[in-house]
Every structure is written in C-alpha cells, then in structure tokens.
C-alpha cells in the first residue's frame, strides 16, 4: 500500500547515532535539521528541508538532562508549524516513566505530565520501548506503539544455549517480565525480594526459588545505578548460582554503575542501544554486550507509515 504522505525521519542530538541506524535499515536518508544554541544555553531547532504534508518521525530518547525532552518538544512544535501531516515521536527510552503513580503523598506523576506535554506540543503518536510500567500507555490520548526489546533479547538468549538456565526478576515488580522470558526459554523463575531504605538505595535482598547449580539471567527494564542489580547478582552467587548475567533494555548507567558492574559477580550485562553508552574507555568493564533495536524500530516505523498491523511483531 502506497502512502501519499512522504516519510521523513529526523533526529535530535543525543539520539543521532540510533536514528542513523534506523534510517539505514529503512533505506532512507536522515532528514536535515539544525540547532541554534544561544550563549545562555537556550536552543532552537529548525528543519533544513520541507516537511509540508509529510509523515514526520522524530527520534529522541528522553534520558536526563531534561534538555533531551525539551529538544524533542521543540522539534515536534517546529514540524507542526511547518505543516507536517502527522508527527510521531520515536522515543526508544521514555524518561520520567518511574513517576507513574502517587506512591507517597504530595508527589508528581511525571509520566502523565510528559504525556500531556507531548500532546500539547502537537505530537500525534508515540513509539517507545519497554515502558517502566505497561499501563503508562493509558496516560496518552493518542496511539502508543509499545515495542518489546524481548523480540531481540530472547532469540539472542536462546542462541547462547545456556544449560541449567534460570531467569530471575530483581524485584517483585519485574516478576511478570521474568515469567514471560522463562516461558519462552522454558526454564524456572527466581524472584528477588528487596527492601529499599530510600530511592536508589537498596537495603537487603533475598531470592525466592531454586538458585543452586543454575546459570542465572536477571532481566529488567533498565539499569540505573546498578545497585539493586549488582546486589542481587552477588546474593545469587552466594546462594550457589554457577553464573549470573543480566539482560536489561535501557542502560541508564548513572552514578557508579560501571564501577559496580565491574566489581560485581556479574559475568555479562546485555543491554540495548536505546541510550548511548559512554565513550569513556576507563568505564569499559569488558562485561557489556549491546544489541541494537534499530532494525526493530525501523520495521515498526515502516509498518506504521504504511498502515500495516504491527501486533505480530512482538514477543511479549
């Protein structure tokens, strides 16, 4: 089916390398855009080619700083004001997603606020991957294409052909994801239970399940400070696991994450390229494997552009 509206793919600054891979996979050129930066740090994006009547995809992961989110919003606004037919935000990593409910009094629900701001900027659709909680999709008043990194991770894990495999969830919240992975790989599940002292600080961890003699893979949606992950890995190793690996979609890697991973019992950490990894050679632990989701996003972008169903593209 031919779409009368031309496809245009643009990138914001911090997701440019991912967008280039997506464009290559689609067999198109990345659109030309510029950013004018003022001396006080204010910036203004502009398109260097016509987007009138086009279906415009703008690629940007909204990891901190907040500039990444704001740059995306300005790009959406610019596209709308330049008469784009439809504007789709391609957000491989949807930031602020951990603020998805009021878990204590008088707090913001950041994920809902970001959904509202995207809508206000003129966004018509969002494409993202492994949201912190599936129900965040309900915060949007327009379509959300929720891609699962498992479509890339699971075939890779199966190819590794690990004996005595067990899948572990780092906390109770990850039980559903771990169960889906274990079902696909036909292996048992281990659930780690943690008590938090405060945000980003883990108290103690206990593991529920058969750990001894197993090669364990901990699955999660993101690794931030790697505190929970490395603590869980060390506990599993102490409980008799033969080896411990981790598989997580978003490599936020803030604070001492790299150092923690280097010093932990983790043998390998498999992540995707939704967030660019640091280029600091001193941070390279030799344990990190990156699988690209660019082809997966390209495939979904192509289907959305051509009004084709995407439901059969997912392994959930």
């Amino acid at each position: 089916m031919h779409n009368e509206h031309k496809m245009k793919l643009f990138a914001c600054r911090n997701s440019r390398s991912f967008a280039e891979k997506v464009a290559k996979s689609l067999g198109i050129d990345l659109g030309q855009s510029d950013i004018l930066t003022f001396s006080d740090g204010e910036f203004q994006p502009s398109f260097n080619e016509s987007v009138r009547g086009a279906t415009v995809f703008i690629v940007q992961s909204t990891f901190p700083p907040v500039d990444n989110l704001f740059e995306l919003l300005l790009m959406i606004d610019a596209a709308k004001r330049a008469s784009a037919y439809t504007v789709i935000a391609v957000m491989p990593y949807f930031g602020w997603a951990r603020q998805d409910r009021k878990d204590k009094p008088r707090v913001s629900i950041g994920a809902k606020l970001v959904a509202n701001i995207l809508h206000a900027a003129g966004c018509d659709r969002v494409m993202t991957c492994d949201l912190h909680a599936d129900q965040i999709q309900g915060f949007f008043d327009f379509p959300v294409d929720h891609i699962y990194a498992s479509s890339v991770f699971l075939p890779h894990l199966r190819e590794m052909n690990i004996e005595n495999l067990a899948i572990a969830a780092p906390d109770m919240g990850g039980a559903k994801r771990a169960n889906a992975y274990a079902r696909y790989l036909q292996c048992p599940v281990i659930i780690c239970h943690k008590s938090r002292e405060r945000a980003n600080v883990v108290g103690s961890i206990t593991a529920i399940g058969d750990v001894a003699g197993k090669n364990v893979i901990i699955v999660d949606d993101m690794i931030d400070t790697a505190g929970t992950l490395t603590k869980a890995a060390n506990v599993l190793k102490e409980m008799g696991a033969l080896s411990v690996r981790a598989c997580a979609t978003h490599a936020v890697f803030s604070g001492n994450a790299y150092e923690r991973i280097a010093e932990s019992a983790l043998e390998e950490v498999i992540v995707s390229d939704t967030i660019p990894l640091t280029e600091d050679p001193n941070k390279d632990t030799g344990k990190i494997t990156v699988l690209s989701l660019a082809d997966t996003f390209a495939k979904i972008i192509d289907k959305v552009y051509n009004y084709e169903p995407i439901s059969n593209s997912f392994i959930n």
Side-chain angles (χ1 to χ4, degrees):
M1 178 180 174
H2 179 68
N3 189 334
E4 71 208 83
H5 303 282
K6 199 171 162 62
M7 181 200 287
K8 299 254 183 175
L9 183 76
F10 293 91
C12 296
R13 287 172 293 186
N14 278 333
S15 289
R16 191 166 182 89
S17 62
F18 186 83
E20 280 168 352
K21 285 184 273 186
V22 172
K24 191 178 173 193
S25 186
L26 284 165
I28 62 172
D29 291 328
L30 200 55
Q32 298 296 308
S33 59
D34 262 338
I35 296 255
L36 169 67
T37 305
F38 298 94
S39 106
D40 64 351
E42 186 181 320
F43 51 87
Q44 182 181 41
S46 61
F47 294 99
N48 294 348
E49 58 187 80
S50 172
V51 294
R52 184 178 298 277
T55 300
V56 175
F57 294 86
I58 302 169
V59 182
Q60 177 77 311
S61 280
T62 52
F63 51 93
V66 77
D67 285 16
N68 289 329
L69 171 60
F70 203 69
E71 186 179 333
L72 173 63
L73 294 168
L74 290 173
M75 286 279 276
I76 292 166
D77 185 65
K80 274 301 203 198
R81 291 176 190 281
S83 304
Y85 168 67
T86 189
V87 181
I88 299 166
V90 180
M91 304 168 70
Y93 170 70
F94 184 87
W96 318 93
R98 281 175 283 189
Q99 300 182 40
D100 60 357
R101 64 195 184 283
K102 278 184 72 170
D103 52 359
K104 54 181 187 281
R106 298 176 294 282
V107 293
S108 59
I109 302 182
K112 172 62 178 155
L113 179 61
V114 171
N116 288 350
I117 301 169
L118 284 162
H119 191 56
C123 186
D124 296 300
R125 188 183 197 106
V126 160
M127 200 174 281
T128 189
C129 180
D130 282 356
L131 281 166
H132 191 61
D134 285 356
Q135 58 269 29
I136 289 171
Q137 294 169 74
F139 290 169
F140 293 88
D141 294 326
F142 51 80
V144 176
D145 299 309
H146 189 209
I147 294 166
Y148 294 97
S150 52
S151 59
V152 170
F153 286 151
L154 284 173
H156 178 79
L157 296 178
R158 182 172 267 177
E159 272 169 34
M160 287 170 75
N161 210 7
I162 300 167
E163 289 183 359
N164 299 320
L165 180 65
I167 296 291
D171 51 34
M172 294 304 214
K176 186 183 165 205
R177 181 181 286 103
N179 199 38
Y181 273 60
R183 202 168 57 237
Y184 181 86
L185 296 164
Q186 297 178 319
C187 67
V189 179
I190 296 160
I191 309 285
C192 296
H193 175 64
K194 69 181 174 190
S195 57
R196 272 202 193 279
E197 286 174 9
R198 56 184 187 276
N200 285 132
V201 180
V202 181
S204 61
I205 290 187
T206 51
I208 306 157
D210 196 5
V211 180
K214 292 278 194 278
N215 289 302
V216 183
I217 299 175
I218 303 169
V219 296
D220 209 353
D221 65 315
M222 67 163 75
I223 302 170
D224 187 355
T225 63
T228 302
L229 176 66
T230 52
K231 205 158 192 174
N234 295 344
V235 166
L236 290 165
K237 197 80 173 146
E238 283 161 23
M239 289 175 71
L242 295 178
S243 69
V244 186
R245 290 177 175 83
C247 180
T249 310
H250 308 298
V252 180
F253 289 166
S254 68
N256 298 325
Y258 285 99
E259 291 78 2
R260 282 190 178 128
I261 289 166
E263 291 158 15
S264 74
L266 285 164
E267 221 167 86
E268 184 186 15
V269 176
I270 302 162
V271 295
S272 81
D273 54 353
T274 57
I275 296 174
L277 265 64
T278 179
E279 287 170 5
D280 181 352
N282 300 325
K283 301 260 178 153
D284 184 18
T285 62
K287 292 182 176 183
I288 296 164
T289 303
V290 182
L291 303 182
S292 181
L293 284 169
D295 289 345
T296 308
F297 269 88
K299 195 164 71 178
I300 304 299
I301 285 169
D302 188 57
K303 283 177 183 276
V304 165
Y305 174 68
N306 288 303
Y307 304 113
E308 291 172 6
I310 59 173
S311 51
N312 58 1
S313 303
F314 303 124
I315 307 171
N316 185 357

